[in-house]
Amino acid sequence: MALAGNPNAGKTTLFNSLTGARQHVGNYPGITVDYKEGAFTHISHGNNKREKQEIILTDLPGTYSLTAYSVEEVVARDYLVNEKPQVVINIVDASNLERNLYLTTQFLELGCPLVIALNMIDVAKDRGIGVKTEKLAELLGVPVLPIIARMGQGTEDLIDQAILQADQPWQPRDISYGEDLDEVIMEMVAIIADTHFLIHTYPARFTAIKYLEQDEQILSKGQEEDRDTAVRLEQKVLQVSEHLLKTLDAYPEAIIADHRYGFIKSILRQGVQSHSYDDDRLYTSDKIDKVLTNRLLGPVIMLLILFGLYQFTFSWSALPVAGLESFFGWLGGQADTHLPDGPLKSMIISGVIDGMGGVLGFVPLIAFMFFGIAALEDSGYLARVAFMMDRIFRIFGLHGSSVMPFIVSGGIAGGCAVPGVMATRTLRSPKERMATLLTVPFMNCGAKVPVIALLIGTFFSEHKALYMFGFTLLSWIVALLAAKLLRITVLKGAATPFVMELPPYRFPTLRGLAIHTWERTWQYIKKAGTVILGISILLWAMMTYPGLSLEQRASFEQQRQTLRAGFSQEVIAESTMKNEASSSEATTLRHKLTSIDQQESEQALRNSLAGRIGITLEPISRFAGFDWRTNIALVGGVAAKEVIISTLGTAYSIGKIETESVDSLSERLIRSPHWNKVVAVSVLVFISFYAPCFVTVVCIAKEAGHWGWALFSVSFNTLFAFFLATAIYQIGNWLG
Ligand code: GDP
Ligand code: MG
């Protein structure tokens, strides 16, 4: 057995009390740089049998961490990984828990068999600090035994427990270090696992973290072991360090330390530690948290902050969004007047400008949303949101670690389910993980936000922020209910305890916010310019071809001829002039001609490949209030949700005639007989909850390790969404 802990935690005192050897007990740091061994006989009381055992105990030098910053740390760590003691007794000073548990987090990451001796409970008591050992043990996943080393109290039970833990397989535990670092760590772990880099000595994740902490010893060991891999890892560290310096103005070491303390704080605040000392000694972060994560006040403030975020996003982005909308309108008009008629013109106007314009037009909205979320994230508030949501999540059979995947997927708005699905890796229980994996696509990802914003802006323009807020709440409620449903049916199983990291509050830097906002916005723009453009053109083609047969076209031309025959030459000439005050006769002719043109293009759209698909689905989709044009957009949305807007734009622009003024998709929808507020809500609900986009489905299959779950996700979500949409449409109509 090895004794490890902070200096002055009481290792030597315990060592002496157990072994009876004369050791020097002192306060000078560095006094036990060489480890000392001693032996004693222990009579264990397990299983009602008295068993005698010979135990060899090693007193390790006191350290504050397992990163090789000092000789003591190198000695202690080398002993652990090279000698591999059968069990480690981590002595923790109960009167100084927060600082002492910092080392404990690294034993957890190393994964050695561990028992915690909670020492100096007499001192803690004197200072008015109470510690709930069972709760602490549950949250750390390690046995915790209270002792008073100086009086030899509790040491028998401690050794009994240590014997039980001895020789357990090493089991490294993951602690999350925030989005940026977790991603790099995952990449580094993959490299390490591939090349078996230092794997005989350290767990892969441990090595990755020590690389990020710039641990001299491991860096040089790495160079000796395998130069290529070492260089690859160092490069990863360099990249992420630069990124963190730019965005958070901090080195990885600092972020890692912050998260470890956050991890500890969240354990302590879950009823582990109770104080009776006065408030003056609380840190600023803790003071802020007293209000912001208060049981009653916290959630209210959280809802207000989120509502404020939507208000900010919608009001500040309204002007630039309108500006871009009219710009694309103008661009369409220019293309209309300057390009020769034909399929190329149709593709550029309907496929490219309307399609891309619909997606790009929302760039300001997305950027403002990302800015707000970056501010919440960089300040540390987002972690508090997760902390508060955890209480709710348990009720629905999800784990506290599910909250982050939900937020990453767009829980507040504007995320993406792909990283969300990958973020579920932090969940240990396979059932909780599956339930999370299957419900994160319900969140309002960055691709759904513009669609939601468009429909809300069109049909509920008076209360945009309120409706956005409502839809966000709805998506959470539905996701949680669906999770509960899964957890009481196909994914039945017990809940596991949860520890959540709470980093201290920081003032976000403007530079960091700008970089975070730009990175995500640029990704959105890039996607619009590549994938979405491609799908948009493909869908345009599906909506244009095969088009009308020669006879059909001739028949429409015939109708126009017959109509014109009834008017004089002057009236016909006058009717072709746009935007001029014309006689009533010319206006009538123009309207009648327009109506024929409309019938022709509608006929063409119906006859197109996409049109036929939409029409085939209409007998079913009618129950939820979707017309065949909307169906085309919804089917297209399975490729990528952004496409819904661009396809609606194209579907409703192909059926429209250019003699009318160039107008926006909103105006077209408002005028369409197929759309009203009830349909808008029904479509919104369907879009929120139906099949995840293609990339997410692939990701789910990969993460779940089975295509069955991906298919389940597609069919379950679509049926579920359709059921909800139908209910809303039917009830809405019934209520009038
Ligand atoms: P080490 O640095 O971890 O080896 O710590 P030591 O064993 O040298 O202990 C540091 C000081 O704490 C000594 O003065 C011990 O007498 C004292 N000490 C150790 N255990 C206890 C305890 O349970 N209660 C109290 N009150 N003092 C203790
Ligand atoms: Mg000592």
Side-chain angles (χ1 to χ4, degrees), residues 61-74:
T63 63
Y64 294 107
S65 93
L66 282 188
T67 309
Y69 293 129
S70 68
V71 200
E72 286 86 353
E73 283 156 346
V74 174

Side-chain angles (χ1 to χ4, degrees), residues 191-192 194-200 211 218-234:
I191 296 176
I192 293 169
D194 263 358
T195 52
H196 299 285
F197 183 76
L198 293 176
I199 221 130
H200 44 89
Y211 258 84
I218 291 202
L219 285 175
S220 65
K221 269 194 187 171
Q223 281 287 345
E224 284 165 33
E225 162 110 355
D226 168 0
R227 192 163 284 255
D228 282 351
T229 310
V231 170
R232 275 168 78 197
L233 293 177
E234 283 162 23

Side-chain angles (χ1 to χ4, degrees), residues 309-365:
L309 173 72
Y310 299 138
Q311 196 73 50
F312 160 79
T313 306
F314 277 99
S315 58
W316 285 69
S317 68
L319 213 65
V321 166
L324 274 179
E325 197 172 75
S326 50
F327 167 74
F328 283 107
W330 171 84
L331 203 64
Q334 288 298 307
D336 188 33
T337 37
H338 295 298
L339 290 174
D341 281 337
L344 183 70
K345 174 176 177 174
S346 160
M347 185 190 89
I348 287 179
I349 293 180
S350 295
V352 179
I353 297 179
D354 276 352
M356 295 264 293
V359 178
L360 288 181
F362 283 97
V363 164
L365 185 116

Side-chain angles (χ1 to χ4, degrees), residues 508-531:
T509 63
L510 203 59
R511 203 181 139 84
L513 291 183
I515 293 174
H516 272 148
T517 308
W518 172 245
E519 277 173 352
R520 289 169 198 176
T521 310
W522 177 236
Q523 262 175 1
Y524 181 82
I525 297 175
K526 245 184 2 199
K527 198 171 163 196
T530 52
V531 184

Side-chain angles (χ1 to χ4, degrees), residues 11-12 24 31-32 59:
K11 290 178 303 300
T12 310
H24 185 69
I31 204 151
T32 41
D59 184 16

Side-chain angles (χ1 to χ4, degrees), residues 6-13 25-27 119-120 122-123 148-150:
N6 283 186
N8 291 319
K11 290 178 303 300
T12 310
T13 312
V25 178
N27 280 326
N119 193 24
M120 309 221 193
D122 54 332
V123 182
I148 304 176
R150 205 152 65 174

Side-chain angles (χ1 to χ4, degrees), residues 21-97:
R22 300 272 142 220
Q23 292 273 327
H24 185 69
V25 178
N27 280 326
Y28 318 104
I31 204 151
T32 41
V33 164
D34 284 323
Y35 58 83
K36 301 211 162 76
E37 271 187 5
F40 65 99
T41 311
H42 176 76
I43 300 165
S44 69
H45 304 275
N47 303 331
N48 295 327
K49 273 189 287 182
R50 291 165 60 87
E51 248 179 272
K52 259 192 177 176
Q53 288 199 54
E54 194 63 19
I55 289 167
I56 297 174
L57 189 65
T58 309
D59 184 16
L60 293 180
T63 63
Y64 294 107
S65 93
L66 282 188
T67 309
Y69 293 129
S70 68
V71 200
E72 286 86 353
E73 283 156 346
V74 174
V75 174
R77 188 173 73 191
D78 280 351
Y79 182 85
L80 293 179
V81 295
N82 295 331
E83 309 297 320
K84 293 237 157 74
Q86 286 172 289
V87 58
V88 176
I89 298 175
N90 175 203
I91 300 206
V92 165
D93 176 355
S95 65
N96 239 323
L97 256 187

